């Protein structure tokens, strides 16, 4: 059931202002050191040398495999930029190397490694509850994607619960658990990450972030879906299911047809 727009929009404004000390869902922040692409609308990016150019998706194919706001429903729209919780809670460090690496990956949204640029990427905002979804399609060797998947699978054990320190010096508690994904693609892994802490005013804050990676042949999709309000696992699963099937359909029809 979708929430009434007025109530959800109010919840969005409260959640973001509680963290950043500013009002409304348009309160955004981009750190000067960020290396994130502009994914306000569906975009394409050139592949790096890490991706096999002879077998890679064309830009048109990668675009065709994206999930868009039309697929997710009326509350979704192209993003206006990174929400305040992105920098306020994910720009952080931890004592244990694997957990520190996880935080770096969540902050940079480089699910497949720093040397892999998305072939196509889109960012979407749920204007009813303030959650954000970033969806990317990449071409990378299957063995490389499988290594990323294998690392993700270790995190619910290695980083089940740990403490992080944000760039502002706030201490947060992070929990990592497995998240169920639809049986699509050739290999997959999902995580649910929660980050709990307090604002500078002492108000409690809780970030919920779903992470999903699915390999489909020599290509893969990656997704993050998070927010300070309700983050629906159903939305995450639906986007993964549709995206993987859409990518498989691109493969089925052959590269020359798109």
């Amino acid at each position: 059931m979708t929430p009434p727009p007025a109530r959800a929009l109010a919840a969005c404004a409260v959640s973001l202002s509680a963290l950043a000390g500013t009002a409304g869902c348009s309160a955004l922040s981009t750190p000067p050191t960020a290396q994130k692409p502009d994914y306000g609308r569906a975009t394409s990016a050139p592949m790096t040398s890490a991706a096999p150019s002879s077998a890679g998706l064309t830009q048109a194919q990668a675009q065709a495999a994206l999930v868009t706001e039309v697929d997710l429903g009326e509350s979704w729209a192209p993003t206006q930029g990174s929400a305040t919780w992105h920098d306020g809670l994910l720009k952080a460090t931890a004592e244990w190397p694997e957990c520190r690496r996880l935080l770096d990956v969540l902050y940079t949204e480089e699910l497949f490694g720093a040397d892999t640029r998305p072939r196509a990427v889109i960012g979407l905002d749920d204007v009813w509850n303030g959650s954000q979804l970033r969806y990317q399609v990449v071409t990378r060797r299957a063995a490389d994607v499988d290594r990323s998947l294998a690392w993700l699978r270790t995190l619910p054990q290695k980083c089940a619960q740990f403490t992080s320190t944000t760039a502002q010096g706030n201490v947060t508690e992070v929990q990592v658990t497995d998240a169920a994904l639809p049986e699509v693609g050739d290999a997959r892994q999902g995580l649910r990450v929660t980050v709990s802490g307090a604002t500078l005013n002492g108000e409690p804050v809780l970030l919920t972030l779903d992470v999903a990676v699915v390999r489909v042949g020599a290509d893969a999709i990656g997704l993050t879906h998070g927010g300070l309000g309700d983050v629906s696992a159903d939305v995450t699963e639906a986007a993964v299911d549709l995206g993987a099937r859409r990518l498989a359909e691109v493969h089925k029809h052959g590269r020359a047809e798109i």
Side-chain angles (χ1 to χ4, degrees), residues 30-142:
T30 301
T33 58
Q35 299 296 321
K36 303 188 293 294
D38 178 4
Y39 52 86
R41 294 188 181 276
T43 59
S44 298
M47 290 184 295
T48 67
S49 59
S53 59
S54 62
L57 292 173
T58 66
Q59 289 188 352
Q61 287 175 319
Q63 292 283 354
L66 286 174
V67 171
T68 71
E69 68 273 19
V70 175
D71 300 312
L72 298 183
E74 62 178 321
S75 68
W76 291 88
T79 192
Q80 298 302 302
S82 296
T84 53
W85 53 257
H86 186 272
D87 295 338
L89 294 173
L90 296 180
K91 191 175 185 181
T93 188
E95 178 181 0
W96 300 105
E98 290 301 292
C99 305
R100 187 163 60 244
R101 178 185 171 189
L102 170 62
L103 292 172
D104 289 343
V105 167
L106 296 179
Y107 178 70
T108 61
E109 296 175 319
E110 294 171 339
L111 301 178
F112 303 93
D115 61 342
T116 301
R117 292 292 174 262
R119 202 67 171 112
V121 61
I122 189 170
L124 302 170
D125 292 346
D126 186 338
V127 298
W128 286 3
N129 68 12
S131 63
Q132 294 193 319
L133 185 147
R134 185 181 190 249
Y135 190 94
Q136 57 181 301
V137 178
V138 305
T139 293
R140 191 167 172 84
R141 288 183 293 266

Side-chain angles (χ1 to χ4, degrees), residues 174-185:
V174 184
Q175 292 186 331
V176 182
T177 60
D178 280 302
L181 296 179
E183 294 290 326
V184 291

Side-chain angles (χ1 to χ4, degrees), residues 49 85 103 147 150 152 158-159 162 168 177 190 198 208 212 229 242 256:
S49 59
W85 53 257
L103 292 172
R147 276 193 289 272
L152 290 173
K158 290 184 177 180
C159 298
F162 64 95
Q168 294 77 30
T177 60
T208 302
L242 176 60

Side-chain angles (χ1 to χ4, degrees), residues 155-196:
L155 297 178
Q157 291 76 42
K158 290 184 177 180
C159 298
Q161 187 166 354
F162 64 95
T163 299
S164 67
T165 304
T166 70
Q168 294 77 30
N170 295 332
V171 176
T172 62
E173 296 295 329
V174 184
Q175 292 186 331
V176 182
T177 60
D178 280 302
L181 296 179
E183 294 290 326
V184 291
D186 300 304
R188 69 207 66 81
Q189 178 61 38
L191 300 175
R192 172 156 282 207
V193 181
T194 60
V195 183
S196 59

Side-chain angles (χ1 to χ4, degrees), residues 1 3 42 45 48 71 86 112 149 198-199 207 211 226:
M1 178 181 298
T48 67
D71 300 312
H86 186 272
F112 303 93
L149 288 168
T199 67
L207 169 67
V211 181

